[in-house]
Amino acid sequence: MTLADPVLVADIGGTNARFALATVGAAGIAVSDRQTFRAEDFETIRDAAAAYLESVAPKPKRACFAAAGPIIDNAVDFTNSHWILRGDEIAAALAFDDFLIVNDFYALAAGIAHLPASALIEVKPGDPIVDAPRLVIGPGTGLGQALIVPTTTGDRIIATEGGHVSYAPRTELETEIKRFIAREHPRVSVERLLSGRGLVNIHRALCAIEGAQRISLQANEITAAAVSGAYPIAVKAVDMFCAILGRVAGDAVLSTGARGGVILGGGILPKIRDIFLKSEFIVRFSEKGRMSDYVAAVPVRLIVEDGAALYGAAASLGKKA
Amino acid sequence: MTLADPVLVADIGGTNARFALATVGAAGIAVSDRQTFRAEDFETIRDAAAAYLESVAPKPKRACFAAAGPIIDNAVDFTNSHWILRGDEIAAALAFDDFLIVNDFYALAAGIAHLPASALIEVKPGDPIVDAPRLVIGPGTGLGQALIVPTTTGDRIIATEGGHVSYAPRTELETEIKRFIAREHPRVSVERLLSGRGLVNIHRALCAIEGAQRISLQANEITAAAVSGAYPIAVKAVDMFCAILGRVAGDAVLSTGARGGVILGGGILPKIRDIFLKSEFIVRFSEKGRMSDYVAAVPVRLIVEDGAALYGAAASLGKKA
């Protein structure tokens, strides 16, 4: 189906909201007029959306927002900010005929088929099984995950909560890090290590374990310091982050039978792209004992297009229509 | 579709093979003439199948065998016995027009809709999401798993390898047990604890940790001793087995988005049914921090029908036709 008139699409996280217009045509999805608004500059998401809509004409009558958080009763409460996204309120205030909220990794999964070729790079080759599920996974606000399950009538997208499975440390150092995190969060899920806050946790734990002077860094400061090489512990934290992500992604492939491929998303990996591609990710991904061949055959790609979820938001609206 | 003539179905594990005839009709699947053969009594699976076929008439022209192991090139090599199941060889030697090998948990998942009501008991109630995936999981030879994904054209069954994900210990005692197992298998997957051999591993580890006299018990001896209460360490091993299974099953629900329900299968749980139903399984299953409500809403049932995979083998053949 096609959406001849432009629709409003958004990708809303804890710290900012990205808005754009999308048209769904026979030639694919086109996304234009992108603008990003910071959560700290707007009291509500409605205000941010209204500010965006002032700049475009004609005003779209349909909209889909991808949100980084669980959708409960058509609303999302963002853990990292004061924003709350309420579907009914937005639809009424902005006079949309049709308004949809989807999980951000659901949107990412729904959008992959519509991304331009330049949006994805290869992390490792593989020998995918065409009709097997594909896994979308990536660290950002949390460790988002979704499954793409091929069916006889097209792909079915399933949002999962794989970021919340129990964390299984492999080395003694990883066990130490788990103990450090467990002081604050007795149940250590993989998301406690593999997310923006997770990277902060790994860095803090390494500082404590190595008895180093504790430099309090945010996630984007740690990734920047790792890229520049400014702080050795930041470099080490990012290396561990990549290695642990490899193991966790490999486990997720086993859990879901995702022999069709893995697509990495989220905001963190593109920022550490070169480090990531040279990291232990690939080795740890396939290191599964008797099941190593099974996992090693799975190709892995990385989404490097910043607004990938916007394509998926448009596709989700198209699907629903 | 219906299979008017009886088909041969089998459920083949490391220690025995169960054969039966099945008819697929409008009223459902009927399974009759069940017989079990021990692997130690027959040199090959073909010999066992031929022995079974001598006792039935007319001889079925179509067959489906469910096998406890990975299917590679239409063959299954059973780790626990000398048996190797080769599809081409069986089809030729027994003159089947149609012969299919499926994974045993694939068969279990495919058969659930066809089981008689008495085949399942409730472990915990829940509030399932009707069109969400359902997870089939259970300890036996390994920790088998499969997903049932509803689609617009019926259920799609996906065999997974979730039994091979990394084991995440929760308590200090569990960490000790992991270390004990890691001496023999450096990468400790959940199957190293949650299977017949896994139960043996837990029991051996507990004996070593508690400095108890090491009584070497097989899995069926441990479950029998737990039921009779003969050995306190066997009781403790089975209790831990149930608790760990709860945590691992809860993690599998998070990984796969299986909000439609969990169905427990495999040969071990029915043998310890009363202990299992009173165990920590349910508490550990839902103990997922912020995601506890998500998992607690998922209903869990246990398959107590011994030949459940036989129904699934018949259903798989019906589906393929």
Side-chain angles (χ1 to χ4, degrees):
Chain A
M1 72 133 289
T2 62
L3 299 170
D5 297 320
V7 297
L8 174 65
V9 288
D11 182 10
I12 304 178
T15 50
N16 62 50
R18 192 188 311 264
F19 294 95
L21 296 180
T23 50
V24 181
I29 292 173
V31 172
S32 64
D33 299 274
R34 299 186 195 194
Q35 284 186 50
T36 300
F37 295 84
R38 292 189 304 172
E40 62 190 56
D41 295 337
F42 291 87
E43 196 173 322
T44 66
I45 295 170
R46 190 189 57 216
D47 294 341
Y52 175 79
L53 288 172
E54 282 168 15
S55 71
V56 297
K59 195 169 128 13
K61 300 301 289 173
R62 305 179 66 198
C64 178
F65 289 7
I71 302 161
I72 297 165
D73 295 334
N74 199 28
V76 177
D77 189 348
F78 294 87
T79 45
N80 293 5
S81 82
H82 60 282
W83 274 0
I84 297 176
L85 173 60
R86 289 195 186 86
D88 298 344
E89 190 185 301
I90 294 271
L94 302 176
F96 292 128
D97 294 339
D98 196 3
F99 180 68
L100 185 66
I101 302 175
V102 294
N103 171 275
D104 59 342
F105 268 74
Y106 179 99
L108 215 51
I112 283 166
H114 306 282
L115 291 176
S118 61
L120 291 148
I121 60 169
E122 182 178 83
V123 174
K124 75 176 275 301
D127 188 12
I129 294 176
V130 174
D131 71 339
R134 296 189 296 284
L135 172 73
V136 185
I137 178 171
T141 307
L143 179 65
Q145 292 185 37
L147 272 182
I148 304 171
V149 179
T151 79
T152 49
T153 53
D155 289 343
R156 175 160 184 205
I157 312 291
I158 296 164
T160 78
E161 294 292 344
H164 296 277
V165 303
S166 312
Y167 169 58
R170 179 177 155 272
T171 62
E172 286 300 322
L173 179 57
E174 286 180 17
T175 303
E176 281 297 301
I177 292 173
K178 181 180 174 179
R179 280 211 191 92
F180 180 89
I181 297 172
R183 282 181 228 160
E184 287 165 16
H185 308 285
R187 179 177 177 268
V188 180
S189 65
V190 292
E191 188 170 290
R192 296 287 184 201
L193 295 97
L194 299 174
S195 62
R197 290 181 174 189
L199 182 55
V200 172
N201 284 336
I202 294 175
H203 182 259
R204 285 174 57 217
L206 287 176
C207 287
I209 291 164
E210 303 201 352
Q213 192 194 345
R214 176 102 131 258
I215 307 159
S216 181
L217 297 179
Q218 294 305 302
N220 55 359
E221 294 168 333
I222 297 168
T223 52
V227 170
S228 72
Y231 297 115
I233 296 187
V235 174
K236 190 166 180 179
V238 168
D239 285 345
M240 285 200 72
F241 181 89
C242 296
I244 294 169
L245 179 61
R247 193 166 72 251
V248 167
D251 279 344
V253 166
L254 292 170
S255 271
T256 60
R259 308 177 79 177
V262 169
I263 302 104
L264 296 165
I268 296 175
L269 298 181
K271 288 182 189 151
I272 53 167
R273 176 172 161 169
D274 292 343
I275 297 176
F276 174 72
L277 293 174
K278 287 179 203 151
S279 75
E280 288 191 8
F281 174 88
I282 296 174
V283 173
R284 298 293 171 227
F285 177 76
S286 305
E287 194 179 53
K288 297 294 175 197
R290 290 172 291 173
M291 299 309 293
S292 296
D293 289 348
Y294 179 100
V295 183
V298 177
V300 179
R301 291 181 296 165
L302 169 64
I303 299 174
V304 291
E305 152 73 51
D306 214 15
L310 298 173
Y311 289 81
S316 302
L317 202 56
K319 220 170 230 184
K320 196 205 155 208
Chain B
M1 73 132 287
T2 60
L3 298 170
D5 296 320
V7 297
L8 174 65
V9 288
D11 182 10
I12 303 178
T15 50
N16 62 51
R18 192 188 312 263
F19 293 95
L21 296 181
T23 50
V24 181
I29 293 174
V31 172
S32 64
D33 300 274
R34 299 186 195 193
Q35 284 186 49
T36 300
F37 295 84
R38 292 189 305 173
E40 62 190 56
D41 295 337
F42 291 87
E43 196 173 323
T44 66
I45 295 170
R46 190 189 58 216
D47 293 342
Y52 174 79
L53 288 171
E54 282 168 16
S55 70
V56 296
K59 195 167 127 15
K61 300 301 288 172
R62 305 180 64 198
C64 179
F65 289 7
I71 302 161
I72 297 165
D73 295 333
N74 199 28
V76 177
D77 189 347
F78 294 87
T79 45
N80 293 5
S81 82
H82 60 282
W83 274 1
I84 298 177
L85 172 60
R86 289 194 186 86
D88 299 344
E89 190 185 301
I90 294 271
L94 301 176
F96 292 128
D97 294 339
D98 196 3
F99 180 67
L100 185 65
I101 302 175
V102 294
N103 170 275
D104 59 341
F105 268 73
Y106 179 99
L108 215 49
I112 284 166
H114 305 282
L115 291 176
S118 60
L120 291 147
I121 60 169
E122 182 177 84
V123 175
K124 75 176 275 300
D127 188 12
I129 294 176
V130 174
D131 71 340
R134 296 190 296 284
L135 172 72
V136 185
I137 179 172
T141 307
L143 179 64
Q145 292 185 36
L147 272 182
I148 304 171
V149 179
T151 79
T152 49
T153 53
D155 289 342
R156 176 162 183 204
I157 311 292
I158 296 165
T160 77
E161 294 292 345
H164 296 277
V165 303
S166 312
Y167 169 58
R170 179 177 154 272
T171 62
E172 286 301 323
L173 178 58
E174 286 180 17
T175 303
E176 281 297 301
I177 292 173
K178 182 180 173 179
R179 281 212 190 91
F180 180 89
I181 297 172
R183 281 182 229 160
E184 287 165 17
H185 308 284
R187 177 175 179 269
V188 180
S189 66
V190 292
E191 188 170 291
R192 296 286 184 201
L193 296 97
L194 299 174
S195 61
R197 290 182 175 188
L199 182 56
V200 172
N201 284 336
I202 294 175
H203 182 259
R204 285 174 57 217
L206 287 176
C207 287
I209 291 164
E210 303 201 352
Q213 193 194 344
R214 177 103 131 257
I215 307 158
S216 180
L217 297 179
Q218 294 305 302
N220 55 0
E221 294 167 333
I222 296 168
T223 53
V227 170
S228 72
Y231 297 115
I233 296 186
V235 173
K236 190 167 180 179
V238 167
D239 285 345
M240 285 199 73
F241 181 89
C242 296
I244 294 168
L245 179 61
R247 193 166 73 252
V248 167
D251 279 344
V253 165
L254 292 170
S255 271
T256 59
R259 307 177 80 178
V262 169
I263 302 104
L264 296 165
I268 295 175
L269 298 182
K271 287 182 190 152
I272 53 168
R273 176 171 161 169
D274 292 343
I275 297 176
F276 174 71
L277 293 174
K278 287 180 204 150
S279 75
E280 288 191 7
F281 174 88
I282 295 174
V283 173
R284 299 292 172 227
F285 177 76
S286 305
E287 193 179 53
K288 296 295 175 197
R290 290 172 291 173
M291 299 309 293
S292 295
D293 289 348
Y294 180 100
V295 183
V298 177
V300 180
R301 291 181 295 165
L302 169 64
I303 299 174
V304 292
E305 152 73 52
D306 213 15
L310 298 173
Y311 289 81
S316 302
L317 202 57
K319 221 170 230 185
K320 197 205 155 208

